[in-house]
Amino acid sequence: MLDLAVLGLLAEQPCHGYDLRKRLSETLGPLWGISFGSLYPALRRLERTGAVEVIDADGETVAPPVSTGSLSGDLAAARLRRRTRPARRTRKEYRITEDGRSRFLELLADEPAEDERGFALKLSFCGHLPPEERLAFLERRRATLTERLAGAKRRPAGSRTIDRYTRSLLEHRATSTRHDIEWIDELIAQERAEQAGDRTEGATA
Amino acid sequence: MLDLAVLGLLAEQPCHGYDLRKRLSETLGPLWGISFGSLYPALRRLERTGAVEVIDADGETVAPPVSTGSLSGDLAAARLRRRTRPARRTRKEYRITEDGRSRFLELLADEPAEDERGFALKLSFCGHLPPEERLAFLERRRATLTERLAGAKRRPAGSRTIDRYTRSLLEHRATSTRHDIEWIDELIAQERAEQAGDRTEGATA
DNA sequence: GTCATCATGTAAGCCGTTACATGATTGC
DNA sequence: GCAATCATGTAACGGCTTACATGATGAC
């Protein structure tokens, strides 16, 4: 989830952590106030696995500190670093690698029963998906929502007494879901129109 | 959060864990699929702190196993129990205590910047709140939502290019928030009407 | 020269999940 | 007697937050 977010933002342009967080909360806003305590470790993890790299002002990649594979050696090195160069505090510009890009597309195409946050995140990146996959993604979402709505309708029958507030909540939620479906339908219609347009252009070209 | 949910449900009627979970997912539905792995430990915790108690079929309270305070003694007892009565597997009916009720009201009145789940949960229980507090609760929610909306409007100015999907997401979210506000406004209006009615009745009685 | 803001990082801990293990009850 | 479901529980782990610590940069 976090990985997807980071890779997605870096796929658009190189960026450093502090800024990444800003851009993320712009898109996900109230849904996800990601904290530095998870962002920075995530960046290091992604760097270690080769999905992103640190670049300098000229856009040249900066080699990461290489592990020797020797525990005691690494510890000694860490101790030494701590005394001499106690970890850099200037901004570190990260750039996505080719590896990172394919990892990003994988994560984007994965379909693990989305929560709201996950869907919002993926939607905001779905421009990177090929048209058919994008359409499939939207339709999966639509299916999730219609099922949710069906579940909401089924419920009242078997249930015990629900008070006014709970009922209002349930009704409002159903209404919201219907709106969400309408919205998705618009997106799907747009998608289809565009794809039809592309095909026609392709045929006449 | 979990504590609030459990206490709230038990405030309505005694219940056992398995059923608690069902009732919870009926109300919170897609927002919160609570798992047994957290529910049962929560129940034991609440029992230990005296917020709930186990009752038998006649509604009599069943005394919890008392710790001797002696580590070795407790361990020995645990070993013994394991051999002879290896933890009960029949349903355990829980009932809220007076202590639990006040704890519940405390949790309900607390105002830690709600997420959606927290709000939904509290709303479904707010019938337990005195009318003024309930109104205050709804108005806090309204304030949160209007602020969110204001934030959404402010944003577009300073931001970098946002693609079609992200823009659509942002717009849809703003629309949803406006709907939420309208809904809250209805609830608030109802509240006020009712309170006014109560006062009139009180005056004429 | 000092204050606000930008920027990176670590450690502890919470809150919840998944996976697993087990026992009781009911219907056929 | 056996399957399905009801019911309780534990262990391991994961993701994210909070609180903290530190350093760099620019404005005044």
Side-chain angles (χ1 to χ4, degrees):
Chain A
M1 182 95 265
L2 220 193
D3 286 8
L4 175 63
V6 168
L7 291 175
L9 288 176
L10 289 180
E12 283 160 19
Q13 57 177 285
C15 207
H16 58 276
Y18 195 86
D19 219 43
L20 232 28
R21 182 175 180 249
K22 255 199 236 158
R23 286 171 63 195
L24 196 53
S25 54
E26 269 168 27
T27 318
L28 276 295
L31 264 71
W32 200 11
I34 191 65
S35 74
F36 292 124
S38 41
L39 179 56
Y40 287 119
L43 281 168
R44 309 203 85 183
R45 201 173 54 237
L46 288 170
E47 190 189 358
R48 222 178 42 234
T49 59
V52 305
E53 56 193 3
V54 178
I55 57 173
D56 62 23
D58 307 322
E60 300 297 325
T61 98
V62 175
V66 182
S67 163
T68 62
S70 144
L71 181 60
S72 58
D74 284 350
L75 283 176
R79 245 179 273 119
L80 199 61
R81 258 200 310 282
R82 179 153 316 203
R83 234 175 278 132
T84 54
R85 227 187 306 162
R88 96 140 100 176
R89 294 285 165 177
T90 49
R91 55 201 293 189
K92 278 166 80 172
E93 198 87 8
Y94 285 95
R95 179 170 57 191
I96 195 168
T97 63
E98 275 316 302
D99 245 47
R101 258 174 219 284
S102 48
R103 177 102 184 93
F104 167 58
L105 288 175
E106 262 172 49
L107 288 173
L108 201 52
D110 263 3
E111 41 167 324
E114 329 274 6
D115 56 6
E116 308 308 298
R117 215 177 56 182
F119 170 72
L121 191 60
K122 284 189 181 178
L123 181 67
S124 80
F125 290 138
C126 78
H128 296 268
L129 243 31
E132 330 81 57
E133 279 186 46
R134 186 160 52 229
L135 195 53
F137 164 67
L138 292 172
E139 268 160 0
R140 276 203 304 276
R141 175 63 175 181
R142 193 186 192 285
T144 307
L145 291 177
T146 52
E147 191 174 342
R148 181 180 303 180
L149 201 53
K153 272 183 191 144
R154 235 175 298 133
R155 213 168 296 144
S159 259
R160 92 265 177 221
T161 55
I162 37 178
D163 74 4
R164 190 172 113 202
Y165 303 102
T166 308
R167 189 168 38 230
S168 181
L169 178 68
L170 256 25
E171 277 165 21
H172 177 66
R173 192 138 62 209
T175 305
S176 295
T177 305
R178 273 189 292 270
H179 283 145
D180 286 353
I181 292 175
E182 282 168 32
W183 171 54
I184 295 288
D185 280 342
E186 278 169 38
L187 288 177
I188 288 177
Q190 264 180 48
E191 255 344 274
R192 284 199 211 282
E194 187 142 317
Q195 284 186 40
D198 286 355
R199 269 199 299 282
T200 309
E201 272 177 47
T204 56
Chain B
M1 183 97 263
L2 220 193
D3 286 9
L4 175 63
V6 169
L7 291 175
L9 288 176
L10 289 180
E12 283 161 18
Q13 58 178 286
C15 207
H16 58 275
Y18 196 85
D19 219 43
L20 233 29
R21 181 173 180 253
K22 255 200 235 156
R23 286 171 63 198
L24 196 53
S25 54
E26 270 168 25
T27 319
L28 276 296
L31 264 70
W32 199 13
I34 192 64
S35 72
F36 291 124
S38 41
L39 179 56
Y40 287 118
L43 280 168
R44 309 204 84 182
R45 201 174 54 238
L46 287 170
E47 189 189 0
R48 222 179 42 235
T49 58
V52 305
E53 57 194 2
V54 179
I55 57 174
D56 62 22
D58 306 323
E60 301 296 324
T61 98
V62 175
V66 182
S67 163
T68 63
S70 144
L71 180 60
S72 58
D74 285 350
L75 282 176
R79 245 179 274 118
L80 199 60
R81 258 199 308 282
R82 179 155 315 203
R83 235 173 278 133
T84 55
R85 230 187 306 161
R88 94 140 101 178
R89 294 285 167 178
T90 50
R91 55 202 294 192
K92 278 167 80 174
E93 197 88 9
Y94 285 96
R95 180 170 58 193
I96 195 168
T97 63
E98 275 316 301
D99 244 48
R101 258 175 220 284
S102 48
R103 176 103 184 93
F104 167 58
L105 288 176
E106 262 172 48
L107 287 173
L108 201 51
D110 262 4
E111 41 166 326
E114 331 272 7
D115 56 6
E116 307 307 300
R117 216 176 57 181
F119 170 73
L121 191 59
K122 285 191 180 177
L123 181 68
S124 80
F125 290 138
C126 78
H128 296 268
L129 242 31
E132 330 80 58
E133 278 185 47
R134 186 160 52 229
L135 196 53
F137 164 67
L138 291 173
E139 270 161 359
R140 276 202 305 276
R141 175 63 175 181
R142 194 187 192 283
T144 307
L145 292 177
T146 51
E147 191 174 343
R148 182 181 302 179
L149 201 53
K153 272 182 192 144
R154 235 175 298 134
R155 212 168 295 143
S159 260
R160 91 266 179 219
T161 54
I162 38 180
D163 74 5
R164 189 172 113 202
Y165 303 101
T166 308
R167 188 165 40 226
S168 182
L169 177 67
L170 257 24
E171 276 165 22
H172 177 65
R173 192 137 63 208
T175 305
S176 295
T177 304
R178 274 189 291 270
H179 283 145
D180 286 354
I181 292 175
E182 281 167 31
W183 172 53
I184 295 288
D185 279 343
E186 278 169 37
L187 288 178
I188 289 178
Q190 264 179 50
E191 253 348 271
R192 284 200 212 281
E194 188 142 317
Q195 284 188 39
D198 286 357
R199 269 199 299 282
T200 309
E201 272 176 47
T204 57

